[in-house]
């Protein structure tokens, strides 16, 4: 917004892909920071970011990037843990460390990495976070300033987290048009395992099982709409999802086991011809899914498949404290 | 087609919902039969069918309906088995029985019902079939004359099946604009279990597991696009899917068990942190799913998500023998 004073002087974005690039673009547009600087180990996407106007400048020097007010780790999930440890070692003894935050899909592994790097004591200037947004495209060329608008960002502050650091990261995401909510790390990882990581594993497992069966040619020939929707997420990036499965192992195993238990109950109902049991499970599931679709429509997403049934859920917004 | 002689005098449609109503509408439009007659146990949808111009007339008398050239069972799956047995008992000793066919999603249970009703000898005038088409809507008011256009119909003829009866049913479906393919009963039920029945069970199981977990409120609040696609089919009609699960029990159990075995392998890979194993499974699945999406696009469906990769599959058409 022209004429409005920036909230901070500099935000550094580590890893300039879709996520980091879109955050940079959104912050530049909002005027939240006077300067957006990119950091990475190679300059290819960083030079492209400057070309596209996504960032103002870039550096290959981690120390230089850490002179920023906020340093946002936007690298792939497993890379993020190592980078976080490097960054913490470089900033722990600083008088004025940057606020460090991130955008990775899993929080528990980063929490553990942080504790390891800081001798078991969670660093006050670290605010772990996860923007729930994405696109089928990737790379800085896919960056969109509105990627986070009306999307949710989950922050997972600890008891040790500095209140001003938390407020700053919250305001940063609010400036992109996102809603910001807070949750504890374990809850975050469990919720994401249930709603995102497990469905991906199930879709991959189904497609792989069918592709390797001896009827695979006919199976794919006669598959139609329901199969298409169900397996769409099996077209996702195998590298990203391998890393998420590794990073969120405990919560994902728990989610797989809970799912398998329910599938086992359904299998037993099919085997015994328990029509009432099947009907009540399917009815309960349909009701839950219809409520979910209605709430998505209420939030302005997925309107093409919303059924106007049930109570729409209201989003819990945390407004800026300024 | 005006002026063209009809292929048969009368087609009777038993059960006038979306499936039967759309077949009736398509046949009326194509002029395949001089007369389309509806049959049912109650007259509500039948009267509506006449009002809508979907059928020419109706009868509540099964004997009267069986005077048709072709009698098509379009009732819900479990009702179809009982009706089929009644119809076979009424027509087995006839000099000129109608050709009997159906549109149910499962074939094995009907094959068994037919054998039971005919002392173990498959009736020559019965041609079991399954049009792979549908809509989220239901009932005769949802009937569309183009529901089957460019869709596939699977016929499952037996050794005993009269060749002229088979040709007639094939031509009937061709007149609706569908493609017609043949498959044996067991293969049909296995393919449909894999591509349709199992995905529905998995989606129902996932949504039910999440709805009953203690984090359910947050789970549905934070679920987004991937979850929406994956669970769309959990909004399907619980009665219809209960009946399909009961009717296709053997093939569905087999499909569930094959899937569970693959899920178990993936679980083990997650547990041991087997990055390479996860990556190859996910890569293989993505490749298969991308080929599937490309072939859907080639066939003119689902173009919104097709990736232009892989070899498109060509549909195997069986043309009219006239």
């Amino acid at each position: 917004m022209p004429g409005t004073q920036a909230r901070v002087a500099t935000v550094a974005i580590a890893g300039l892909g879709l996520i980091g690039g879109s955050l940079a673009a959104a912050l530049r547009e909002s005027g939240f920071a006077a300067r957006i600087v990119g950091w990475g180990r190679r300059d290819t996407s960083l030079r492209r970011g400057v070309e596209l106007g996504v960032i103002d400048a870039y550096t290959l020097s981690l120390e230089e990037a850490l002179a920023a007010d906020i340093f946002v780790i936007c690298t792939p999930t497993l890379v993020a843990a190592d980078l976080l440890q490097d960054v913490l070692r470089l900033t722990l003894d600083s008088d004025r460390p940057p606020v460090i935050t991130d955008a990775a899909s899993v929080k528990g592994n980063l929490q553990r990495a942080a504790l390891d790097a800081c001798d078991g004591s969670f660093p006050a200037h670290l605010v772990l976070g996860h923007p729930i947004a994405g696109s089928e495209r990737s790379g800085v060329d896919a960056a969109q300033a509105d990627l986070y608008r009306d999307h949710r960002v989950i922050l997972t502050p600890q008891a040790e987290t500095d209140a001003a650091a938390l407020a700053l990261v919250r305001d940063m995401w609010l400036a992109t048009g996102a809603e910001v909510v807070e949750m504890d790390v374990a809850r975050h990882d469990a919720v994401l395992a249930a709603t995102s990581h497990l469905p991906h594993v199930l879709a991959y497992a189904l497609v792989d099982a069918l592709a390797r069966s001896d009827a695979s040619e006919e199976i794919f020939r006669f598959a139609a709409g329901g199969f298409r929707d169900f397996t769409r997420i099996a077209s996702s990036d195998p590298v990203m999802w391998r890393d998420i499965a590794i990073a969120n192992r405990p919560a994902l195993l728990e989610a797989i086991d809970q799912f398998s238990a329910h599938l086992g109950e359904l299998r037993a109902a099919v085997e015994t011809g328990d029509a009432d049991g099947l009907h009540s499970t399917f009815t309960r599931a349909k009701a839950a899914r219809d409520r979910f679709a209605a709430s998505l429509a209420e939030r302005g997403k997925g309107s093409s498949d919303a059924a106007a049934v049930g109570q729409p859920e209201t989003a819990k917004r945390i407004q800026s404290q300024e």
Side-chain angles (χ1 to χ4, degrees), chain A residues 233-253:
Chain A
I233 55 183
S235 284
S236 301
D237 176 20
V239 170
M240 174 175 143
W241 285 94
R242 171 199 68 193
D243 290 353
I244 286 175
I246 301 265
N248 203 19
R249 172 168 65 193
L252 180 55
L253 288 176

Side-chain angles (χ1 to χ4, degrees), chain A residues 2 46 95 98 118 123 126 129 145 149 180 185 201 211 242 246 259 274 295 317:
Chain A
L46 297 169
D95 295 328
C118 303
L126 173 60
R149 183 160 297 285
V180 180
V185 167
V201 166
R242 171 199 68 193
I246 301 265
F259 170 80
D274 177 9
S295 79
R317 287 170 172 270

Side-chain angles (χ1 to χ4, degrees), chain A residues 41-248:
Chain A
R41 304 226 185 259
R42 287 184 311 273
D43 69 359
T44 326
S45 51
L46 297 169
R47 292 167 70 87
R48 184 67 180 141
V50 172
E51 241 172 75
L52 291 169
V54 162
I55 52 176
D56 294 291
Y58 71 87
T59 176
L60 300 183
S61 157
L62 191 50
E63 283 83 352
E64 204 178 305
L66 288 169
D69 297 281
I70 310 177
F71 182 93
V72 192
I73 297 176
C74 298
T75 59
T77 298
L78 293 181
V79 170
D82 290 340
L83 177 59
L84 177 61
Q85 294 196 323
D86 289 347
V87 162
L88 286 172
R89 287 185 198 109
L90 286 171
T91 58
L92 260 187
D93 297 327
S94 165
D95 295 328
R96 243 190 107 257
V99 170
I100 302 166
T101 186
D102 79 305
S105 307
V106 183
K107 304 270 59 81
N109 62 327
L110 292 185
Q111 182 191 40
R112 283 189 297 280
L115 289 170
D116 278 352
C118 303
D119 291 324
S121 189
F122 199 90
H125 61 298
L126 173 60
V127 181
L128 296 175
H130 175 205
I132 315 234
S135 147
E136 278 161 23
R137 307 176 55 215
S138 64
V140 65
D141 279 85
Q144 297 159 234
D146 65 351
L147 189 73
Y148 302 107
R149 183 160 297 285
D150 298 324
H151 279 69
R152 289 198 171 118
V153 175
I154 300 176
L155 301 182
T156 58
Q158 311 291 297
E160 299 86 342
T161 304
D162 178 74
L166 176 60
L168 191 60
V169 173
R170 180 189 301 145
D171 288 348
M172 181 187 81
W173 283 111
L174 288 174
T176 69
E179 303 168 22
V180 180
V181 297
E182 292 179 17
M183 204 182 279
D184 74 44
V185 167
R187 186 71 109 178
H188 168 277
D189 287 356
V191 170
L192 269 297
T195 57
S196 177
H197 308 164
L198 174 64
H200 279 80
V201 166
L202 297 181
Y204 280 127
L206 177 67
V207 175
D208 194 45
L210 300 188
R212 288 159 68 189
S213 93
D214 48 330
S216 66
E217 206 194 308
E218 281 151 316
I219 284 170
F220 287 97
R221 183 180 298 158
F222 293 103
F227 186 81
R228 178 191 62 220
D229 289 338
F230 188 88
T231 59
R232 178 167 291 128
I233 55 183
S235 284
S236 301
D237 176 20
V239 170
M240 174 175 143
W241 285 94
R242 171 199 68 193
D243 290 353
I244 286 175
I246 301 265
N248 203 19

